Amino acid sequence: MRSDIRVMSRRDLLRATMAAAGALALAGCTDLRGGEGSAELEGGDPREGAIAVSSVKPLCIDPFNAVDEAGAQICFQLFDPLMRYDYEYGVLTCLAAESYTASEDQREFTFTIREAYFHNGEAVRAQDFKRGWERIANPSSAAAGVLGASNVSFLLSLVEGYQDLREGRASELSGIACPDDRTLVVRLSSAYADFPYVCAHHCLVPVPDDADADAEAFSRMPVGNGPYKMTEAWDGQSAQIELSRFLDYAGTVTTIDTVRFTFYDSVDDAYRAYEAGDATLAPCPIESVDANAASWKSSDDERLRITSGRRCVLGVSPVVSYLVCNTSVAPLDDVRFRRAISLAIDRDGISKRVYRDARMPADGIVAPVVPGYREGAWPYCIHDNDAAEELLDELYPAGAGGARDVTLTITYGEDSGQRNAMEQIAESLSAVGIACELEELPFEDLYVRYRSGSFMLGRYDWSCDFASMDNVLYPLFHSASLSAYNFSRYANEQVDTCINEARSTGSEGERTSRLQEAEDIVAQDCPVIPYLFGSYAYVGNQRIEQLHIDADGFAHLGEAELAD
């Protein structure tokens, strides 16, 4: 038996929601198919139909490796993956796919590709997705010869034939079949019901024949299927990239003719360009953020949008900052001690004193923007010194002056901007009698130490690759991940069972329930100690009537509206 899953496209979802709510229409509701050409951009005063974005310089704009923030932003405008997770409405929607079905065992997924075109006029076919994915997974692909190894190949690790392709025993992914131009069949080596969420990643996109025929040229001027296309090749050194709207886009054609990205050395410099009037949209550094714009401080649905009345967007990202407890060494091998540490940390104080209230205190390991999040899911992620001291008194009774016979070392990365936060945590622990030493290491050394277990408490950030609880719980807490990102060396048979059962469960509600069961067990054991959720911030000037910035920090320029 197969489950037939027909997911609304984002366009249909928006239309249905707006019709029901009587909301104002979003940008791009009219298909403007006038003469092609872009409005000229002059300095900081874009003419009608154009928008200027200031940004740091991208490292790569080819979806093969567009993982840096700036490169991903441009890739997002140029390409449409099969699916998209809609953070505004909390649902997975179809994008380049029209619909998909899943086998009962959650190992085979069949996607129907919607009719669409590449920027060069070629039709988008199922085999173009196969090509796009294989060039990422194949370490000997033409793209790898130009750009080096892809940093997103792991996204395809469950596709049958992945290991054979990686190790040179095959030239293609045996788990991907294209029965016809509009049908893409993906067979996995094990059950993974959340695979459609993986297919929303901005790098898992189709590419035309040219991507392999001339990989170097494609890396400088990617040809996509998204709402915008490049106007000319980027040499990797130029301070600008200009995009123009794609009139044959499969979705609703944007009303904004041209987008110009101008690159700066840092976020601070990009923001200064915005302040000087040289940009319409820019990332905003923490010290300049309007904390009142924080999405978690209001139920206003518009807070993830730059509008005529709101010029700063500050939202929670699918990132969590946490302390890894090395559960294989004393005193962190005792759950009571781990709980006491978590209770002692003043998360609100860190948010206010270090980040000017621009980051949300964490109440668990799953960020609020990830489906399945529950407020207050981790009972020990509160600040309660009395409860912390009660636990510690059982283990290390306080001596004269409140000091206890225990010292912790907190290890973190140098040049990570985390010293102030670590000092605040050390101060919190000192308040309950725990002495702390801070150890700052280069990231390469930090990672080696975490993998080898040569640490006590280690600071780390986990960023979801796609919007799924599994993408947090499996890599951080499943025993199969002990050789990877399960730095805490945590293993719990019940947790493994819950996660494994969730992966083979087709019902979204039942799957989420099983993952939440796993999270509840982990929350009691405290192998890690979450303290802050990640955030993103953008500012836009009066040229923007409305623009959605999603939790991944992507600006939905194809759906934006400019002021009259």
Side-chain angles (χ1 to χ4, degrees):
M1 174 185 279
R2 303 175 66 88
S3 53
D4 188 3
I5 305 166
R6 298 191 175 273
V7 185
M8 270 192 193
S9 70
R10 176 176 168 81
R11 177 177 55 180
D12 290 340
L13 175 69
L14 291 172
R15 284 177 175 171
T17 304
M18 288 186 293
L24 294 174
L26 298 180
C29 289
T30 305
D31 189 358
L32 302 179
R33 295 183 177 271
E36 193 165 355
S38 63
E40 184 181 356
L41 293 166
E42 296 182 354
D45 185 23
R47 295 181 179 179
E48 184 176 357
I51 188 171
V53 183
S54 62
S55 165
V56 295
K57 183 178 287 188
L59 300 178
C60 180
I61 60 173
D62 186 322
F64 176 84
N65 227 2
V67 292
D68 63 287
E69 186 174 335
Q73 185 73 258
I74 292 171
C75 183
F76 181 85
Q77 315 303 330
L78 297 175
F79 291 88
D80 280 356
L82 290 169
M83 311 295 294
R84 176 157 293 163
Y85 184 73
D86 194 304
Y87 286 102
E88 282 189 289
Y89 298 98
V91 294
L92 185 69
T93 66
C94 283
L95 195 58
E98 194 172 82
S99 63
Y100 74 89
T101 62
S103 62
E104 188 174 14
D105 65 1
Q106 302 303 309
R107 287 188 58 189
E108 186 171 289
F109 298 84
T110 302
F111 297 90
T112 300
I113 310 301
R114 72 190 301 186
E115 184 178 340
Y117 296 91
F118 284 113
H119 301 154
N120 62 7
E122 295 177 8
V124 175
R125 306 160 301 165
Q127 44 267 56
D128 298 316
F129 279 94
K130 185 174 190 291
R131 180 186 300 109
W133 294 11
E134 286 178 345
R135 73 196 287 260
I136 286 172
N138 187 354
S140 300
S141 68
V146 173
L147 299 171
S150 173
N151 289 312
V152 294
S153 62
F154 69 92
L155 292 169
L156 300 167
S157 60
L158 287 181
V159 177
E160 278 189 354
Y162 174 81
Q163 211 55 46
D164 287 339
L165 180 58
R166 296 290 293 174
E167 296 174 6
R169 295 189 297 272
S171 59
E172 62 180 357
L173 287 168
S174 60
I176 300 182
C178 304
D180 56 60
D181 286 350
R182 295 193 61 199
T183 306
L184 181 74
V185 182
V186 184
R187 180 74 177 169
L188 307 182
S189 56
S190 61
Y192 193 48
D194 276 343
F195 184 71
Y197 286 84
V198 180
C199 296
H201 195 278
H202 68 275
C203 288
L204 297 187
V205 296
V207 297
D209 291 327
D210 291 348
D212 284 338
D214 193 339
E216 184 174 0
F218 189 85
S219 71
R220 291 184 281 107
M221 191 171 181
V223 175
N225 61 327
Y228 287 98
K229 62 182 181 179
M230 294 188 67
T231 59
E232 60 182 16
W234 182 56
D235 61 9
Q237 302 301 318
S238 172
Q240 290 185 355
I241 286 179
E242 185 173 288
L243 310 180
S244 60
R245 64 177 177 152
F246 179 41
L247 295 178
D248 289 323
Y249 179 53
T252 302
V253 177
T254 176
T255 59
I256 300 175
D257 294 314
T258 305
V259 177
R260 182 191 66 203
F261 287 87
T262 302
F263 308 129
Y264 298 87
D265 292 334
S266 67
V267 170
D268 287 339
D269 289 343
Y271 180 71
R272 279 193 284 271
Y274 167 82
E275 285 188 307
D278 295 331
T280 318
L281 178 71
C284 186
I286 286 178
E287 58 270 18
S288 301
V289 164
D290 174 11
N292 293 320
S295 60
W296 63 88
K297 295 181 178 180
S298 170
S299 60
D300 183 354
D301 291 336
E302 293 292 315
R303 295 188 80 82
L304 293 179
R305 288 180 174 271
I306 293 174
T307 67
S308 56
R310 181 178 294 108
R311 294 303 172 198
C312 180
V313 165
L314 172 58
V316 177
S317 68
V319 175
V320 61
S321 297
Y322 61 96
L323 298 178
V324 183
C325 299
N326 188 343
T327 62
S328 66
V329 301
L332 293 159
D333 57 349
D334 193 311
V335 67
R336 294 170 296 174
F337 189 78
R338 300 194 297 268
R339 290 171 177 171
I341 293 174
S342 187
L343 289 166
I345 294 175
D346 181 6
R347 294 164 177 81
D348 286 329
I350 297 172
S351 175
K352 288 179 171 63
R353 290 189 286 272
V354 179
Y355 295 99
R356 299 182 65 254
D357 230 12
R359 292 186 65 177
M360 179 180 177
D363 55 0
I365 197 66
V366 177
V369 293
V370 176
Y373 163 81
R374 294 162 297 162
E375 186 176 354
W378 284 46
Y380 298 100
C381 279
I382 60 173
H383 186 208
D384 188 338
N385 277 0
D386 290 340
E389 289 179 337
E390 184 176 340
L391 287 169
L392 290 170
D393 285 342
E394 300 175 20
L395 303 168
Y396 302 95
R404 304 175 190 276
D405 186 21
V406 61
T407 300
L408 291 178
T409 300
I410 304 177
T411 305
Y412 65 100
E414 67 181 18
D415 300 325
S416 60
Q418 297 297 322
R419 183 169 184 82
N420 290 342
M422 295 305 98
E423 288 175 343
Q424 289 290 314
I425 289 176
E427 186 176 314
S428 288
L429 297 181
S430 177
V432 295
I434 300 175
C436 284
E437 297 174 354
L438 301 183
E439 180 184 31
E440 190 176 67
L441 295 175
F443 179 77
E444 297 78 9
D445 297 339
L446 188 76
Y447 187 72
V448 169
R449 292 273 294 277
Y450 288 174
R451 290 291 297 273
S452 67
S454 303
F455 72 100
M456 294 183 75
L457 277 177
R459 199 211 77 85
Y460 205 74
D461 283 339
W462 183 257
S463 177
C464 285
D465 303 298
F466 45 92
S468 163
M469 282 185 74
D470 179 273
N471 191 233
V472 180
L473 301 180
Y474 185 90
L476 298 190
F477 308 116
H478 197 286
S479 61
S481 300
L482 286 168
S483 61
Y485 291 100
N486 187 348
F487 299 135
S488 66
R489 284 150 180 76
Y490 177 76
N492 184 301
E493 192 173 324
Q494 286 181 280
V495 169
D496 287 357
T497 298
C498 288
I499 294 174
N500 292 341
E501 290 179 353
R503 287 187 156 206
S504 59
T505 300
S507 165
E508 184 114 21
E510 291 178 20
R511 186 161 72 249
T512 298
S513 293
R514 295 302 279 153
L515 291 170
Q516 289 174 340
E517 285 181 46
E519 186 190 15
D520 287 342
I521 298 168
V522 176
Q524 288 293 325
D525 290 344
C526 294
V528 302
I529 299 172
Y531 63 93
L532 286 179
F533 291 126
S535 65
Y536 65 96
Y538 273 82
V539 289
N541 69 15
Q542 69 280 1
R543 286 278 298 153
I544 299 174
E545 182 65 25
Q546 62 171 321
L547 168 63
H548 174 51
I549 311 286
D550 70 25
D552 289 319
F554 290 132
H556 289 242
L557 297 172
E559 300 164 7
E561 285 182 350
L562 295 181
D564 294 333

